[in-house]
């Protein structure tokens, strides 16, 4: 049995052990093909079948219909910050962005950099991004509304998604991709870097409602053109073949768990355990407002920075890894993505209670 | 021992078995970190050390000086077709592109799509891209000269690189990256998708002379901005961590072989064996002109398409994989990248001689 820590990394992050074992087991010979998955042509029958299966699996987990298509792209959310305005802008219309955190703000800055008209109807920046802004009005004729469904750094998450009428709703779901059930029909496009809930870094899922593909203009970088990649089933050029392969295994793992509802229940149980611990005394000071708490990234401070350093040092010594908060919030962040087990969270909570007893 | 075919795929392609075994061996626990390489934070000390080491290793193999920097990007050559003109264009100057094949031509089309002024001083298209055009004159004040050092589809390769004076020389080396020694000081920038000679698909090396970084304008997609990625040592956002890791192992493998000169000798031995076989009778008809032959992709036709189909079917039955030529040339293509062994080529040659005897 390999030495394994309890991995609370914000991303790349812990993945299901059975998935890792499967990758390891078949790494020299993928399905009897006599070569590694990373040596296989992306034009081979076996790989093509893998892409077709994974495209459908990704949609199936939360019930995206055949009106949507999954694209497997590269470059993470950062590439999508550019690809969304480049593909979906409409002459004479303004795009709207809700500013709920650093990454949301980076998406705005990229639209600005590329010279696309935008508006930010709501921001929680002035309040240290402690909550998700939900009180806003968007233009009825906006090009699209862009939201960030979960804010990794601050530990906030949209609890329900806004209705937008005819305005296409676009969401960066990189840090809470498939952590709970949601209504896919509300969305025109969702995107997610795989490296938190779906696989390794280097592959990005873009699930797009096909009517939006008409918007892609010709004079943008081909690598970012949704229409071209949709037409070629993500194989316009060589994709991250390894990335798609691992996403395939993780989607199957979700199904093996009993599907998205079971995964959501596990996530709610894990988050409750941690939030209850944070709420049970004044020793730990949660960052996110209660009505905006994330199931995926749980953030808190301690009484002093020295105490926080001590907490992290002792946690690390006990093999709890990745708990240091992002520098813009400080303190502690526990990322408890789908693959984090309830047992792992229970061990952390036991440690936290013990730490509080000794230092409270 | 895993079942392994003899893999002549054009890319993704065969990789050194010892590299694959190493990946497999440490896949659940990278260097005692207690997690898989794909679960590690790109901000961790261990991963940062890996990037720093790999950046230097890539330069070291062929002797790029500290005037250059390796960037690990995503999106393959297709992304660089856009990134090069977006970063390196200069107002009032024209970029020059040598059209030596389909991919070279795609690079030209991308510059055109993005509205950048360009000129094509030479093309071998009219002659089915059978040779590398070497007889051309470029403007003394060109923004840059772009060449494709090896043409995967046609099996042609630059035998020596042009002097360009003060004009920056840019090369797409995706399909012959580090197959032989060359003078790195001739180049302003080289780029290569890893999936042929350096690792899995999904990671792209860009080796850029640092003075060129000044050219990157602000109003281009951040994911393509060389200056930003150079400043952040490729960690502006999450890179393909797995990709960089495998590139690291492959660079070490080159050193273990005795370095680039030994790898070049192996490649010349392999190519000679195959070309001598092609030249020894009229049964096989090489596509590329002798003065432009590639060490990496060796292309030929047989007397009829039926005979070619038979050749491929019988080769496949004997576990020689990936020999079907690209549709634009037809016939046969054997890709004999660095990791292809002399033994593998010898086995193919034995098969070819036997096939000729039976069908000649």
């Amino acid at each position: 049995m390999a030495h394994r820590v309890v991995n609370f990394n914000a991303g790349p992050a812990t993945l299901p052990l059975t998935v890792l074992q499967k990758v390891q087991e078949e790494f020299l010979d993928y399905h009897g093909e006599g070569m590694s998955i990373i040596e296989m042509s992306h034009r081979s029958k076996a790989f093509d079948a893998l892409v077709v299966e994974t495209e459908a699996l990704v949609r199936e987990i939360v019930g995206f219909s055949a009106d949507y298509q999954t694209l497997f792209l590269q470059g993470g959310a950062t590439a999508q910050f550019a690809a969304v305005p480049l593909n979906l802008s409409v002459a004479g219309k303004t795009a709207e962005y809700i500013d709920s955190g650093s990454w949301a703000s980076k998406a705005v800055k990229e639209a600005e950099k590329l010279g696309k008209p935008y508006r930010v109807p709501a921001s929680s920046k002035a309040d240290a991004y402690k909550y998700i802004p939900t009180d806003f009005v968007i233009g009825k004729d906006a090009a699209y509304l862009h939201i960030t469904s979960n804010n990794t750094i601050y530990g906030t998450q949209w609890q329900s998604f806004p209705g937008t009428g005819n305005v296409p709703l676009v969401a960066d779901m990189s840090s809470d991709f498939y952590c709970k059930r949601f209504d896919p029909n509300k969305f025109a496009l969702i995107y997610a870097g795989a490296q938190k809930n779906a696989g390794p870094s280097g592959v990005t899922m873009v699930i797009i409602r096909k009517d939006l593909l008409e918007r892609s203009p010709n004079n943008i970088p081909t690598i970012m053109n949704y229409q071209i990649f949709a037409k070629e089933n993500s194989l316009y050029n060589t994709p991250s073949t390894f990335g798609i392969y691992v996403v395939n295994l993780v989607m199957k793992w979700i199904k093996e768990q009993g599907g998205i509802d079971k995964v959501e229940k596990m996530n709610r149980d894990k988050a409750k355990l941690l939030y209850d611990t944070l709420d049970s005394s004044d020793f730990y000071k949660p960052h996110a407002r209660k009505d905006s708490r994330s199931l995926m990234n749980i953030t808190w401070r301690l009484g002093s920075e020295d105490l926080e350093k001590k907490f992290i040092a002792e946690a690390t010594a006990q093999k709890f890894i990745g708990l240091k908060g992002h520098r813009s919030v400080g303190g502690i962040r526990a990322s408890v993505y789908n693959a984090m087990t309830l047992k792992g969270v229970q061990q952390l909570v036991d440690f936290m209670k013990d730490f509080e007893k000794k230092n409270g």
Side-chain angles (χ1 to χ4, degrees), chain A:
Chain A
M1 189 62 199
H3 158 61
R4 301 271 299 164
V5 296
V6 188
N7 181 349
F8 293 100
N9 277 337
T14 189
L15 287 168
L17 184 57
T18 53
V19 167
L20 298 173
Q21 286 166 332
K22 178 84 172 167
V23 174
Q24 184 181 46
E25 179 194 320
E26 62 189 20
F27 195 69
L28 296 187
D29 180 12
Y30 175 80
H31 293 197
E33 295 286 327
M35 61 185 90
S36 173
I37 181 72
I38 68 174
E39 300 179 298
M40 276 178 64
S41 170
H42 60 300
R43 306 283 178 207
S44 64
K45 275 183 197 167
F47 190 77
D48 194 63
L50 182 72
V51 172
V52 168
E53 181 184 74
T54 315
E55 189 282 324
L57 263 173
V58 167
R59 286 188 293 106
E60 177 193 339
I61 301 288
V62 294
F64 276 105
S65 72
D67 293 340
Y68 294 80
Q69 183 174 353
T70 314
L71 308 180
F72 299 102
L73 305 179
Q74 299 183 53
T78 299
Q80 295 312 308
F81 294 165
V84 166
L86 287 175
N87 282 276
L88 303 187
S89 289
V90 178
K93 293 190 177 187
T94 296
E96 315 234 359
Y97 285 79
I98 305 303
D99 176 26
S100 59
S102 296
W103 292 100
S105 167
K106 281 189 180 181
V108 176
K109 279 175 197 141
E110 191 77 6
E112 180 173 294
K113 186 182 265 196
L114 297 172
K116 302 296 179 186
Y118 70 92
R119 208 174 68 91
V120 180
S123 170
S124 50
K125 185 176 184 181
D127 202 11
Y129 290 126
K130 284 184 179 175
Y131 65 94
I132 299 289
T134 50
D135 188 21
F136 56 84
V137 179
I138 61 164
K140 279 185 185 164
D141 202 34
Y144 56 84
L145 172 67
H146 181 281
I147 65 171
T148 310
S149 60
N150 185 77
N151 299 281
T152 329
I153 293 175
Y154 306 95
T156 62
Q157 186 177 27
W158 291 71
Q159 310 295 306
S160 66
F161 294 113
T164 56
N166 286 324
V167 174
L169 179 59
V170 174
D172 175 1
M173 291 196 176
S174 292
S175 59
D176 67 347
F177 183 73
Y178 292 3
C179 80
K180 60 178 177 180
R181 183 169 286 288
F182 62 94
D183 178 6
N185 297 312
K186 277 196 158 179
F187 293 88
L189 185 155
I190 71 168
Y191 64 88
Q195 69 269 17
K196 291 152 196 288
N197 259 344
S201 60
V203 60
T204 312
M205 283 79 61
V206 172
I207 309 169
I208 187 168
R209 209 179 57 217
K210 291 176 186 170
D211 62 289
L212 270 290
L213 294 170
E214 289 172 14
R215 291 195 183 184
S216 304
N218 187 48
N219 63 346
I220 62 174
T222 305
I223 193 77
M224 293 190 169
N225 190 308
Y226 294 147
Q227 190 181 87
I228 290 173
F229 275 77
K231 193 178 161 208
E232 302 287 340
N233 291 316
S234 302
L235 299 177
Y236 173 77
N237 73 335
T238 318
S240 170
T241 53
F242 180 76
I244 294 171
Y245 160 66
V246 180
V247 169
N248 179 282
L249 296 178
V250 173
M251 293 302 109
K252 287 176 178 164
W253 174 85
I254 291 178
K255 290 180 75 173
E256 285 158 22
Q257 303 311 297
I260 190 71
D261 294 317
K262 284 286 168 58
V263 167
E264 176 171 352
K265 181 170 185 316
M266 293 195 305
N267 285 330
R268 292 200 180 278
D269 289 348
K270 282 153 32 187
K272 184 174 189 312
L273 194 54
L274 251 172
Y275 283 121
D276 282 352
T277 305
L278 296 178
D279 291 338
S280 66
S281 82
D282 291 334
F283 184 75
Y284 297 112
K285 303 166 205 310
H287 177 77
R289 212 167 73 182
K290 277 194 178 176
D291 65 3
S292 299
R293 282 176 168 177
S294 170
L295 292 176
M296 296 283 98
N297 310 98
I298 300 179
T299 53
W300 67 93
R301 304 295 308 251
L302 275 77
S304 72
E305 288 193 12
D306 281 347
L307 202 55
E308 289 168 350
K309 274 182 195 161
K310 192 178 178 195
F311 180 95
I312 288 162
E314 291 187 14
T316 305
Q318 297 195 28
K319 307 295 179 199
F320 302 112
I321 302 299
L323 287 168
K324 194 175 175 198
H326 190 273
R327 61 186 181 280
S328 52
V329 172
I332 317 295
R333 171 176 56 184
S335 296
V336 289
Y337 297 118
N338 288 356
M340 171 56 62
T341 60
L342 184 62
K343 186 182 161 198
V345 175
Q346 184 62 60
Q347 289 172 334
L348 176 63
V349 162
D350 292 345
F351 165 78
M352 288 168 68
K353 287 181 176 164
D354 187 56
F355 187 85
E356 181 179 351
K357 215 172 284 175
K358 287 176 183 154
N359 298 278

